[in-house]
Amino acid sequence: MFADTTQMLPSIGWAGFLDGPQIVEFIAALALAIALGAAIAFHPTTARTIDTREEAEMPKVYIMYALVGAVVGEIVLAYGMVVGFVIFGLGGLMRFRTDTASTRDTGRLIIVTLLGLIAGLNMPHFAVIAAVVAWGLIYVFDGHPVCELEVHEIPEGRVKEAAAAYRAVLDELGCKLINEDKSFSKRRIDYVFRAPRRSTQAGLHKALCERVPVDVRGEIDWEIE
């Protein structure tokens, strides 16, 4: 009564792993998706509107989702719309039944699910290449974590001097400042910055406490992605 849809799907198999032109085409598709995603993610106007850590993290999320889109397109191209509906169902399941801490984690969840799907569809060459590309993107993007630093309870009337002192120490530590927001009435400064690759929260915290002069020093709260 019902057609066997598994017979309608092509089987690429391990022999396809040595299919040079197909591999080149897949790599080119991923590279183009990443390049186009980066062009939008790092649009010149975006940097001027970043105020929070979440906004600073969004470019890497855009690029990862562009990669996801390219992988989905290659799967549908190889296996047809039948698998497209499977992917749609998986997406709905992850959207409503999975609790992830951030949009970044959601992107990783989607990409690893797609890698499992590709492997299960007997497309090992696609799975390996996509995994290597995704691993590389994660290494590049998350090697410099985005941190949000709140300095509060700054001595009365010393917010401006405190901002200059904390900014100078962050620069000495190799941090790239993304945004600085001063509140004179609340005696508070909020920083969003990218930390060096090998830095730790404990190391940064210790350096700030030791190098910022006591007369302008405040209390520090951290939030790191």
Side-chain angles (χ1 to χ4, degrees):
M1 180 180 298
F2 297 100
D4 185 2
T5 56
T6 59
Q7 297 180 359
M8 300 169 58
L9 301 177
S11 179
I12 297 177
W14 284 96
F17 196 89
L18 301 177
D19 188 349
Q22 193 175 34
I23 292 176
V24 172
E25 181 181 336
F26 181 60
I27 294 175
L30 296 186
L32 178 60
I34 292 172
L36 295 177
I40 300 300
F42 295 105
H43 192 281
T45 60
T46 302
R48 297 197 297 267
T49 60
I50 294 177
D51 296 319
T52 64
R53 178 181 54 82
E54 289 77 10
E55 292 177 351
E57 290 283 358
M58 287 309 296
K60 69 176 69 173
V61 176
Y62 294 150
I63 296 174
M64 187 63 74
Y65 273 49
L67 175 65
V68 168
V71 172
V72 171
E74 289 295 327
I75 296 174
V76 174
L77 181 64
Y79 281 91
M81 293 304 298
V82 174
V83 177
F85 285 111
V86 173
I87 297 173
F88 180 80
L90 288 173
L93 180 64
M94 289 184 289
R95 171 64 178 84
F96 296 106
R97 296 296 182 183
T98 305
D99 183 19
T100 53
S102 64
T103 308
R104 182 203 65 179
D105 292 337
T106 302
R108 292 188 183 185
L109 175 64
I110 294 174
I111 194 66
V112 297
T113 302
L114 289 177
L115 292 177
L117 178 62
I118 298 172
L121 289 173
N122 202 20
M123 301 169 66
H125 50 323
F126 284 0
V128 172
I129 294 172
V132 170
V133 173
W135 190 94
L137 288 178
I138 292 172
Y139 178 81
V140 171
F141 289 146
D142 291 348
H144 298 273
V146 176
C147 308
E148 187 168 354
L149 173 68
E150 178 185 299
V151 184
H152 54 92
E153 298 185 22
I154 297 172
E156 187 74 35
R158 305 301 302 274
V159 173
K160 183 176 180 181
E161 292 85 352
Y166 278 98
R167 193 186 318 119
V169 174
L170 289 174
D171 184 63
E172 292 173 3
L173 295 173
C175 301
K176 181 180 179 181
L177 187 64
I178 298 175
N179 184 68
E180 176 185 309
D181 183 29
K182 295 185 289 290
S183 176
F184 292 92
S185 60
K186 296 180 180 179
R187 295 185 296 153
R188 187 183 74 191
I189 312 168
D190 294 305
Y191 293 98
V192 178
F193 62 90
R194 294 190 186 277
R197 182 175 294 276
R198 298 186 181 278
S199 63
T200 63
Q201 178 182 339
L204 293 174
H205 187 95
K206 181 180 179 181
L208 288 169
C209 291
E210 291 178 349
R211 301 187 190 183
V212 174
V214 178
D215 60 331
V216 295
R217 189 181 302 167
E219 298 295 326
I220 296 177
D221 287 329
W222 289 88
E223 188 171 354
I224 300 177
E225 181 65 24

